[in-house]
Amino acid sequence: MQIHYLSDENSILNHFLGQIRNVNIQNDSMRFRRNVERIGEVMAYELSKDLHYSDVEIQTPLGIKKTTEISDKLVLCSILRAGLPLHLGFLNYFDAAENGFVSAYRHHANNDASFDILVEYQAVPNIENKTLLLIDPMLATGQSMVAVYEKLMQKGLPKEIHIAVIIAAPEGIAYLKTHLPDHCHLWIATLDEKLNDKNYIIPGLGDAGDLAYGNKL
């Protein structure tokens, strides 16, 4: 797996990352969503450098200009509900992309720390021979991402797979390396220290879905 760490160098990305973590700022859910969206825009720009392009000629009012445009057929697929603001950031840049949405959540059958990942709702276009971008803010254990990947592969085989996350834990990265193909690309805005005993990312930011859309029952 090819891993791209985007916060190693100072940029406006780190400014937005700091704001979504800050407890004095993140309580403003509208600002939290907008910052996640802006992080998605920055990540989309960085990821765009790894896509494929074709030469084209553009007619301007005064002549012809040779340039390039993306030749990949993109499918953006996010995991509900926390992935929605990040998805929108990518869609702002890849506005011609098709879009898919999948639900995945931790099911604690025994009311303890152990859990299974349930993947239920799916609304996904054809991904056969296309460039698939899987989008989710948090990569904790990695089990949700792998479960969604395996479900999507039942619908067809994409030409390329890019996974985009804001915050990743080392445990989740190791899990993806073990369970996903070597040719996948993993784009990480920032790497955190570890998971706690409840498999939450430390220092993390809390529950991204709740911060964006309110607490759930």
Side-chain angles (χ1 to χ4, degrees):
M1 177 177 291
Q2 300 183 52
I3 303 179
H4 311 263
Y5 296 100
L6 301 181
S7 61
D8 288 346
E9 297 182 0
N10 281 326
S11 75
I12 191 66
L13 174 63
N14 290 339
H15 178 81
F16 297 144
L17 289 169
Q19 289 197 353
I20 65 171
R21 294 183 191 268
N22 190 326
V23 295
N24 297 314
I25 296 176
Q26 63 177 202
N27 289 332
D28 183 341
S29 60
M30 186 169 129
R31 187 171 178 183
F32 180 84
R33 291 193 303 271
R34 180 63 184 117
N35 279 330
V36 171
E37 181 182 343
R38 292 194 288 190
I39 290 169
E41 291 172 348
V42 175
M43 295 186 73
Y45 169 74
E46 294 295 340
L47 190 152
S48 73
K49 300 174 184 178
D50 209 62
L51 298 178
H52 301 92
Y53 292 79
S54 56
D55 296 327
V56 296
E57 291 186 345
I58 303 297
Q59 176 70 59
T60 80
L62 300 175
I64 301 293
K65 174 62 179 177
K66 293 182 179 180
T67 184
T68 60
E69 63 182 14
I70 293 174
S71 58
D72 297 274
K73 295 180 179 179
L74 300 178
V75 177
L76 309 180
C77 185
S78 60
I79 300 177
L80 300 173
R81 63 183 168 149
L84 290 176
L86 188 62
H87 185 112
L88 181 57
F90 275 85
L91 188 58
N92 288 343
Y93 276 27
F94 301 135
D95 53 297
E98 296 178 275
N99 296 271
F101 303 92
V102 179
S103 70
Y105 65 94
R106 298 179 181 183
H107 176 61
H108 297 267
N110 301 317
N111 294 319
D112 57 19
S114 63
F115 60 87
D116 297 315
I117 301 297
L118 297 186
V119 179
E120 296 181 336
Y121 174 82
Q122 298 179 68
V124 180
N126 177 26
I127 62 173
E128 185 72 32
N129 204 35
K130 297 178 182 178
T131 299
L132 176 65
L133 276 61
L134 285 175
I135 300 165
D136 196 31
M138 313 294 282
L139 178 65
T141 66
Q143 294 180 47
S144 293
M145 188 63 72
V146 170
V148 168
Y149 165 82
E150 291 176 345
K151 184 70 69 172
L152 291 177
M153 292 308 102
Q154 297 174 12
K155 296 180 175 296
L157 296 178
K159 180 178 66 174
E160 289 187 1
I161 301 170
H162 296 264
I163 298 170
V165 301
I166 297 178
I167 300 176
E171 295 90 335
I173 296 172
Y175 191 82
L176 295 194
K177 285 182 177 179
T178 301
H179 291 84
L180 296 186
D182 291 339
H183 65 267
C184 287
H185 290 258
L186 175 59
W187 299 81
I188 299 171
T190 188
L191 175 65
D192 272 12
E193 297 173 10
K194 60 182 180 180
L195 298 179
N196 66 10
D197 57 358
K198 294 183 178 180
N199 289 311
Y200 295 143
I201 301 175
I202 302 297
L205 52 72
D207 189 299
D210 288 355
L211 288 168
Y213 299 110
N215 294 333
K216 57 188 175 293
L217 294 176

